[in-house]
Amino acid sequence: MAKNEVAVKAEGGAVAIMDDELLAFGTGLEQVTPDDVSIPFIQILQALSPQLNKNDGKYIKGAELGNIHNSVLNTVADGDEGIIVVPCSYNKKYIEWTPRETGGGKVDEHDSRDILAQCTKNDRGQMVLPNGNYIAETAQFFVLVCNEEETEWSQAVIAMASTQLGKARKWLAQMLQQRVVDSAGVTRDAPVFMFKYRLKTVQEQNDRGSWMGWSIGLEGPTTSGALAKDGAKFLSKIKSGDIQVKSPDEEATEQTKQDLNDEVPF
C-alpha cells in the first residue's frame, strides 16, 4: 500500500484503498446533528407485525414470526440463532399512550415512576390515568449489535415493556454480577460494555394467548478492544445528551406498540 493511501472497509466486508488526499475534504456529514440521525430499535416480529403482511408496505420478503427486526436498516435476523449485543447504557421511561380505541399513539414521556401514583389498573393490567390514557413502564437498553468475530458493530436500542419487563430485570441482574480486575489487581464492578450477550426469541404464553419474547444469555467478555472503546464512547454520548432516541411511536416499532395494545396479552 502506498504511503498516501489508507484502507477502509467497503460494503460487503471488502477492503478498498483510498488516497488520503481525498479524506482531507471531510466526510460531507459535518452538519449532521443528533436530531438528524435515527438509532435503530431492535424488536421481535409478532404475528401481526406489518413486516409479515404481504399487503403492507413494510413487508419484508422471507421474514418470519420471531425474527429480530432492525427498524432503520429494515433487516431481520433469525430468532433461533439470535444476535450478539454489547450493552452500553440503560434507562427507564414511563410512556403515556392514547388507547387504540380512541386513535392510539404516544402522548408524552415521563422520567419518574411517580406518574404511576395517578393511575389505576384496568382488567388488562394497564396503568390508566384519569384522562383515559395509559402509562407503559418501558426499559430501554442502548447496545452495540456486533457480529460473531467482533469486527463489525452498530448502535441500537432495545425497548422492553409489559410481559418483557421481567426479562429486563433479569438481564440487569446478570450485568450487575459481572466483575473485572483492574491493573492494580483489584476486583471491580464491570462496565456493562465489557461483556456481550446473545438475544434469542422464544414463544411465551399465558391464559390470554401467546406471543414471542426474549431469551437472553451471557456470551462472554468482550474480546475486541476497539469494540469496548466504542461502547465507552457510546455511553459517554448518552450521558452527555448527544444521543437522541426517538420514541417507539416515532420509530414505528410495531412490537412495542403491539405489546402495549392487543397482540401481546398482559
Side-chain angles (χ1 to χ4, degrees):
M1 185 185 301
K3 185 176 181 180
N4 68 336
E5 293 178 333
V6 295
V8 297
K9 195 153 195 176
E11 184 177 357
V15 174
I17 305 302
M18 181 175 291
D19 192 311
D20 58 8
E21 290 183 3
L22 297 178
L23 299 178
F25 288 96
T27 65
L29 300 174
E30 287 78 12
Q31 299 301 313
V32 173
T33 70
D35 289 334
D36 299 323
V37 180
S38 291
I39 296 181
F41 273 80
I42 302 299
Q43 64 220 25
I44 303 172
L45 295 186
Q46 305 288 347
L48 298 181
S49 294
Q51 291 80 11
L52 304 183
N53 183 354
K54 291 184 177 181
N55 297 317
D56 195 292
K58 297 178 182 178
Y59 172 70
I60 299 176
K61 185 176 181 180
E64 299 178 352
L65 177 69
N67 279 176
I68 301 170
H69 178 242
N70 181 307
S71 69
V72 171
L73 299 179
N74 202 33
T75 56
V76 294
D78 184 86
D80 292 332
E81 180 179 344
I83 60 173
I84 297 175
V85 305
V86 175
C88 299
S89 186
Y90 162 83
N91 67 31
K92 176 75 71 67
K93 296 294 183 180
Y94 298 84
I95 302 177
E96 181 176 344
W97 298 81
T98 301
R100 177 173 290 180
E101 298 78 19
T102 56
K106 179 195 169 191
V107 177
D108 201 356
E109 192 172 279
H110 305 272
D111 293 325
S112 172
R113 67 178 291 109
D114 292 347
I115 188 69
L116 297 178
Q118 304 176 33
C119 300
T120 56
K121 185 178 290 188
N122 66 12
D123 58 0
R124 296 194 66 240
Q126 295 170 323
M127 299 302 290
V128 183
L129 290 165
N131 62 9
N133 295 337
Y134 58 91
I135 299 295
E137 183 178 353
T138 305
Q140 291 189 147
F141 295 90
F142 297 77
V143 304
L144 295 177
V145 182
C146 68
N147 61 358
E148 299 277 353
E149 298 78 21
E150 297 185 20
T151 56
E152 299 178 15
W153 53 85
S154 59
Q155 298 174 353
V157 177
I158 300 173
M160 299 184 186
S162 184
T163 60
Q164 300 306 294
L165 280 175
K167 306 292 184 66
R169 297 184 185 102
K170 290 179 181 179
W171 193 9
L172 288 170
Q174 282 185 294
M175 296 179 196
L176 289 169
Q177 292 174 3
Q178 306 311 316
R179 303 287 186 271
V180 292
V181 178
D182 66 15
S183 59
V186 178
T187 300
R188 301 177 56 182
D189 294 338
V192 290
F193 51 78
M194 296 191 71
F195 287 85
K196 57 187 178 181
Y197 299 78
R198 187 178 295 271
L199 274 62
K200 299 181 180 181
T201 65
V202 294
Q203 188 174 45
E204 302 175 358
Q205 63 182 17
N206 61 19
D207 57 0
R208 299 193 61 173
S210 63
W211 63 94
M212 302 301 295
W214 291 111
S215 173
I216 304 169
L218 177 65
E219 191 76 1
T222 305
T223 58
S224 165
L227 174 57
K229 288 180 180 178
D230 264 11
K233 290 178 182 178
F234 192 23
L235 171 59
S236 179
K237 288 182 178 180
I238 293 167
K239 287 183 174 180
S240 67
D242 289 340
I243 298 295
Q244 301 293 328
V245 178
K246 294 182 179 179
S247 73
D249 186 54
E250 292 168 305
E251 281 297 327
T253 55
E254 295 300 328
Q255 187 265 332
T256 300
K257 290 194 290 184
Q258 290 162 5
D259 200 30
L260 300 175
N261 287 282
D262 297 329
E263 184 174 348
V264 178
F266 285 80

